Amino acid sequence: MKSSKSHPLKGTANIPGDKSISHRALMFGGLAVGRAEITGLLEGEDVLNTAAAMRAMGAEINRLGDGHWECHGVGLGGLKEPETALEMGNSGTSTRLLIGLVAGHAITATFTGDASLSKRPMGRVIKPLEMMGATFKARDGGKLPLTVTGPKDVLNIEYRLPVASAQVKSAVMLAGLNARGRTTVIEDKPTRDYTENMLRHFGIDVAVEDLNDGAQAIHVKGHTDLIAPKEKIIVPADPSSAAFPVVAAVINEGSEIILPGIGMNPRRTGLYETLTDMGADIRFENKRIEAGEPIADLHVKGTGALKGIDVPESRVPSMIDEFPVLAVAAACANGTTRMTGLAELRVKESDRLLMTAKGLEACGVKLEMGEDSLTIHGNSKPPQGGAKIETALDHRIAMSFLVLGTATEEPISIDDATPIQTSFPDFVQLMNDLGAQIS
Ligand code: S3P
């Protein structure tokens, strides 16, 4: 797929549903008592893999229309043992959260995935879940394929996260739903809190305690059934997907786009704060709360004036998926952008730090990559482009470089566009409707 210099982007575009919330809606709906109705669900491959896995474990999940789904859950403790391996494709969130769910049931399940997912570390969930009584058989280094068996009696634990990860936090909390007493996860840096928020919505007692050292303890009370909420679960548009057209508009002077109803959970908005610090013209209009989540309509103008900044390290968890596309913006800015604390980028769908740096260098960008840092020297204008980018089964690398290609002198091509299906199936159509030239 090739992205060539675009016209200024213009128009209004509807961004698909939030991936993190979509996974949780299907999992919790599939576990609850009663009927949960969901609108705005993301119908990307990752989320469809979650739906298939929950069905394989006994939940009834039906698609009623575009993004409109219903779940009739099995009740807490009611997941049945799947007859075949659960194929997770590219999806780390499906895998880690479902491993947590299975670890809370006295059943055995095997998880498999694609070449990208099979390289990703699962030791981070294996360790706490073993403490809770689950047993594992995994490939060397804690990799997929992996088989987990949950214990008869799940032990409640207190666990301090060694890495800032909402997936690990969620896996422990989900296993803890079936533990006697209270399971506690302590996080030093706040990560996305959708599991906490949505479990409460399903009637679970989740308490958050501020600790003296600045960390937070999240307590979840086990042995309580999840009850499907009476109101629909409305999934907001995904701020991580919106990031791609937003950066495309920001780096193409004269652009003006509106993206309605974007999720503005403060633990997800780091990119927007950073772009604003860099001088981008992004307005958050019509701010409102929908189904418990803050949302806003984004109004973005491309002014051609971006400046390099030092990105505060404390902001990393709130923009963990946005560094490739931020790096694209930084490559078009005036001056140097420094990003630090990026170790987790090495274990995403690809080694994102490396793939971002390699791709940008091939497009003519001056940069330095460290073990967990990236420094980009912007040239006040988009780089030359003209490269073919290796995407390494990483949807966000694919989309980031197609975004850069909208602004470079020479077109940018990517070797494989199929990973985009995991999170943003209509990406190319949506971008081209705004004025991009992606073919
Ligand atoms: C996610 C958490 C993050 C993020 C991923 C989705 C989630 O992963 O990168 O895209 O839905 O909980 P980590 O928990 O590994 O940081």
Side-chain angles (χ1 to χ4, degrees), residues 18-21 23-24 92-93 96-97 120 124 163-170 191-192 194-195 240 268 317 320-321 344 347-349 352 395-396:
D18 189 281
K19 184 147 73 75
S20 293
I21 298 179
H23 283 301
R24 288 158 172 84
T93 307
R96 297 203 179 105
L97 269 59
R120 300 183 66 184
R124 54 182 59 196
V163 282
S165 167
Q167 291 178 358
V168 180
K169 168 173 68 176
S170 302
T191 64
R192 66 193 69 192
Y194 299 128
T195 299
S240 296
R268 291 291 297 286
I320 190 65
D321 291 332
E344 277 295 297
V347 290
K348 292 294 177 187
E349 285 83 329
R352 262 188 198 153
H395 55 133
R396 299 195 202 280

Side-chain angles (χ1 to χ4, degrees), residues 269-284:
T269 49
L271 172 78
Y272 298 98
E273 289 151 32
T274 303
L275 288 173
T276 303
D277 290 350
M278 292 170 80
D281 185 347
I282 305 177
R283 287 171 212 186
F284 304 90

Side-chain angles (χ1 to χ4, degrees), residues 270-343:
L271 172 78
Y272 298 98
E273 289 151 32
T274 303
L275 288 173
T276 303
D277 290 350
M278 292 170 80
D281 185 347
I282 305 177
R283 287 171 212 186
F284 304 90
E285 294 171 349
N286 198 9
K287 287 187 193 164
R288 57 213 186 264
I289 303 279
E290 199 173 82
E293 283 292 327
I295 61 173
D297 303 338
L298 302 193
H299 186 163
V300 188
K301 290 185 187 169
T303 60
L306 276 185
K307 60 175 196 300
I309 63 159
D310 291 357
V311 182
E313 207 169 302
S314 59
R315 213 179 260 171
V316 170
S318 69
M319 55 181 297
I320 190 65
D321 291 332
E322 277 67 79
F323 281 96
V325 81
L326 172 65
V328 162
C332 303
N334 175 18
T336 297
T337 297
R338 289 182 193 83
M339 303 166 236
T340 54
L342 307 185

Side-chain angles (χ1 to χ4, degrees), residues 97-182:
L97 269 59
L98 288 171
I99 288 175
L101 264 190
V102 171
H105 284 71
I107 59 172
T108 294
T110 297
F111 291 83
T112 58
D114 70 4
S116 153
L117 186 59
S118 303
K119 284 191 200 119
R120 300 183 66 184
M122 296 299 148
R124 54 182 59 196
V125 290
I126 293 175
K127 191 175 164 214
L129 295 173
E130 275 179 345
M131 292 161 64
M132 299 176 85
T135 51
F136 287 84
K137 197 164 180 300
R139 214 153 51 78
D140 256 7
K143 307 275 168 71
L144 260 46
L146 165 161
T147 300
V148 49
T149 303
K152 280 217 170 54
D153 284 312
V154 184
L155 303 173
N156 60 326
I157 58 168
E158 178 178 306
Y159 189 66
R160 191 166 201 129
L161 296 177
V163 282
S165 167
Q167 291 178 358
V168 180
K169 168 173 68 176
S170 302
V172 174
M173 289 175 70
L174 295 184
L177 290 174
N178 267 326
R180 206 165 302 167
R182 212 165 78 148

